């Protein structure tokens, strides 16, 4: 931004801060770095247009830089109105030459307009986190569908949406479910969501977790991570789960397992991780304890019934950065973090680069796989090829200084034999 011919120093600082953040994250993304090195020589994406709709963070910046190293033309918009890091967006635009359309706190209309702007590049490949880009392409820009080779999807919620589209025969090109790779969900969803959710809660509230009654709703990979890390900090964790096997797992992992009604009434903190709607609903809100902190770590802001909360309240104000206070008609006060949007990205910086290294290496190699085109993919949702998943695990282990043991030929023979018994 220019004023009277001078660049405002705050703008320079924003750009510099973004650049530093991107470089800092890069230090912990060795697998992506090795892909960048290979791609800088081979240019497997030369001439390929990649449109991406992702959380605009320092880690995402490194994915986009890698795609450019591979020869791609890229365009990026945000995948959530509250997850964009404005300094990173500015550095991407002005330092790294990545056209980036995202601003923290934008309204719904502007958010969807930026998705349309990315689609204006007529992408050959789409990269999504939550399936908003694919969805908009299939509903508002159908004339572009014939050009698209394929897409990738980052998150559980996006994969669920895409599988529903494929089931209804409404998906017009193949999509790789990056979330389903082992080197994605076992690490990003569990350790990434675990740490970044706690980080977001601590930054937003500065409250003590030790001894707090902490309720985790959902015991999928994200819920497992949040529960483990809250327990690690001394919280008294209760898990709410609808699946009997997962509920049993939570119990044997050492957590109390209770119904939502019972858990909600006692909670100091509630974190939702289900990907489902209104898991904290009106009747739970009616029982909630004075001072309870409500937060969501699922992709969309649908898990806490905010509409009911508004109806039950006679006042609302922002009392700290990213913390909204609701004054309930029953005299109690409850708090939401980041309007019930992803707590780890609205109040924190998202997952650590160390895990996004694996997630985004899966993204990068899946984009290369689609671009190569030597596959027989139909208009359906596919897993990341196993050889890609395993290669990422090996590279990550190596970068961490860990060693993999090898089977001897005698052991291979033993495992393949059905004749050898006692
Ligand atoms: N940073 C970039 N993308 C992210 C994601 N999907 N989850 C958490 N942090 C991120």
């Amino acid at each position: 931004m220019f004023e009277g011919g001078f660049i405002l120093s705050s703008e320079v600082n924003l750009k510099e801060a973004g650049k530093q953040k991107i470089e800092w994250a890069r230090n912990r993304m060795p697998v992506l770095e090795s892909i960048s090195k290979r791609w800088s020589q081979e240019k497997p994406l030369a001439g390929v247009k990649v449109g991406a709709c992702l959380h605009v963070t320092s880690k995402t910046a490194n994915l986009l830089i890698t795609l450019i190293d591979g020869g791609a033309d890229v365009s990026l918009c945000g995948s959530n109105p509250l997850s964009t890091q404005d300094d990173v967006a500015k550095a991407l635009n002005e330092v790294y030459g990545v056209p980036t359309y995202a601003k923290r706190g934008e309204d719904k209309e502007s958010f969807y307009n930026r998705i349309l702007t990315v689609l204006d590049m007529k992408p050959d490949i789409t990269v999504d986190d939550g399936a908003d880009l694919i969805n908009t392409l299939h509903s508002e820009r159908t004339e572009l569908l014939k050009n698209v080779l394929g897409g990738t999807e980052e998150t559980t919620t996006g994969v669920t949406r895409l599988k529903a589209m494929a089931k209804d025969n409404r998906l017009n090109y193949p999509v790789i479910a990056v979330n389903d790779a082992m080197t994605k969900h076992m690490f990003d969803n569990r350790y990434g969501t675990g740490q970044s959710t706690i980080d977001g809660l601590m930054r937003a509230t500065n409250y003590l977790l030790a001894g707090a009654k902490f309720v985790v709703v959902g015991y999928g990979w994200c819920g497992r991570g949040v529960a483990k890390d809250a327990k690690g900090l001394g919280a008294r964790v209760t898990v709410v789960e609808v699946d009997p096997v997962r509920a049993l797992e939570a119990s044997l992992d050492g957590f109390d397992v209770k119904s939502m009604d019972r858990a909600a009434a006692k909670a100091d903190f509630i974190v939702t991780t289900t990907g489902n709607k209104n898991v904290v609903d009106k009747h739970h809100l009616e029982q909630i304890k004075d001072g309870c902190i409500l937060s969501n770590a699922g992709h969309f802001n649908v898990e806490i019934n905010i509409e009911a909360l508004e109806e039950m309240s006679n006042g609302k104000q922002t009392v700290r950065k990213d913390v909204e206070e609701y004054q309930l008609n029953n005299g109690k006060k409850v708090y939401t973090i980041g309007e019930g949007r992803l707590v780890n990205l609205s109040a924190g910086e998202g997952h650590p680069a160390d895990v996004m290294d694996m997630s985004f290496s899966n993204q990068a190699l899946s984009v290369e796989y689609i671009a190569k085109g030597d596959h027989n993919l139909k208009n359906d949702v596919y897993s990341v090829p196993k050889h890609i998943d395993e290669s990422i695990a090996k590279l990550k282990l190596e970068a961490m200084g860990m060693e993999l043991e090898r089977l001897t030929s005698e052991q291979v023979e033993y495992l393949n034999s059905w004749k050898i018994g006692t």
Side-chain angles (χ1 to χ4, degrees), residues 306-325:
I306 301 277
E307 226 174 88
L309 196 52
E310 305 261 348
E311 279 166 21
M312 294 163 63
S313 304
N314 52 49
K316 176 189 168 186
Q317 57 175 336
T318 301
V319 288
R320 264 173 82 84
K321 186 172 175 298
D322 303 316
V323 183
E324 304 87 39
E325 178 185 86

Side-chain angles (χ1 to χ4, degrees), residues 122-320:
K122 303 190 173 80
D124 301 308
I125 295 176
T126 59
V127 175
D128 253 293
D129 188 331
D132 279 337
L133 189 62
I134 292 194
N135 230 287
T136 310
L137 185 55
H138 279 71
S139 53
E140 291 180 50
R141 288 287 163 91
T142 48
E143 76 283 3
L144 301 178
L145 282 167
K146 60 182 183 310
N147 303 326
V148 183
L149 303 170
T152 63
E153 169 53 52
E154 172 80 5
T155 197
T156 318
T157 294
V159 170
T160 306
R161 288 175 95 187
L162 291 167
K163 285 186 175 162
M165 270 176 92
K167 195 161 160 254
D168 285 352
N169 285 322
R170 298 292 297 276
L171 188 62
N172 279 23
Y173 56 82
V175 182
I176 308 278
V178 166
N179 186 68
D180 292 356
M182 308 259 247
T183 49
K184 198 281 183 182
H185 65 260
M186 285 176 66
F187 304 96
D188 170 316
N189 300 25
R190 179 167 40 174
Y191 300 102
T193 307
Q195 182 169 318
S196 61
T197 295
I198 302 293
D199 180 30
L201 282 172
M202 298 214 287
R203 289 190 203 205
T205 65
N206 194 27
Y207 280 176
L208 185 69
L209 290 181
K213 297 195 181 82
F214 194 104
V215 174
V216 180
V217 193
Y219 204 65
W221 289 101
C222 294
R224 289 179 181 112
V226 175
K228 172 181 77 62
D229 287 355
K231 181 180 175 182
L233 283 164
R236 287 188 260 168
V237 180
T238 298
V239 169
V240 177
E241 173 57 62
V242 292
D243 179 298
V245 178
R246 285 183 176 181
L248 191 58
E249 184 187 351
S251 174
L252 268 63
D253 283 345
F255 302 111
D256 201 11
V257 179
K258 286 280 179 289
S259 68
M260 190 64 207
D261 272 324
R262 213 185 292 273
K266 292 198 175 149
D268 298 309
F269 291 86
I270 298 179
V271 181
T272 56
T273 69
T274 67
N276 212 337
K277 230 186 129 169
N278 294 343
V279 294
V280 181
D281 213 346
K282 187 161 190 250
H283 61 284
H284 305 122
L285 294 166
E286 277 160 358
Q287 304 172 54
I288 227 145
K289 226 167 88 171
D290 188 36
C292 180
I293 307 283
L294 294 165
S295 64
N296 165 48
H299 185 80
F300 287 118
N301 58 335
V302 296
E303 307 208 16
I304 301 164
N305 190 343
I306 301 277
E307 226 174 88
L309 196 52
E310 305 261 348
E311 279 166 21
M312 294 163 63
S313 304
N314 52 49
K316 176 189 168 186
Q317 57 175 336
T318 301
V319 288
R320 264 173 82 84

Side-chain angles (χ1 to χ4, degrees), residues 29 54-61 79 83 85 128-130 154-155 184 188-189 192-193 196 297 299 342 344-345 349-353 355-356 359-360:
M29 303 183 89
L54 298 166
H55 299 297
V56 179
T57 74
S58 55
K59 286 77 64 161
T60 305
S79 61
S83 64
Q85 296 170 2
D128 253 293
D129 188 331
E154 172 80 5
T155 197
K184 198 281 183 182
D188 170 316
N189 300 25
T193 307
S196 61
H299 185 80
L342 285 156
N344 59 333
L345 281 147
E349 276 183 70
H351 297 356
V355 289
M356 293 314 292
S359 310
F360 285 159

Side-chain angles (χ1 to χ4, degrees), residues 314-339:
N314 52 49
K316 176 189 168 186
Q317 57 175 336
T318 301
V319 288
R320 264 173 82 84
K321 186 172 175 298
D322 303 316
V323 183
E324 304 87 39
E325 178 185 86
Y326 286 83
Q327 293 114 31
L328 303 187
N329 295 331
N330 63 12
K332 295 178 194 167
K333 288 177 181 162
V334 298
Y335 301 91
T336 54
I337 309 294
E339 301 164 11

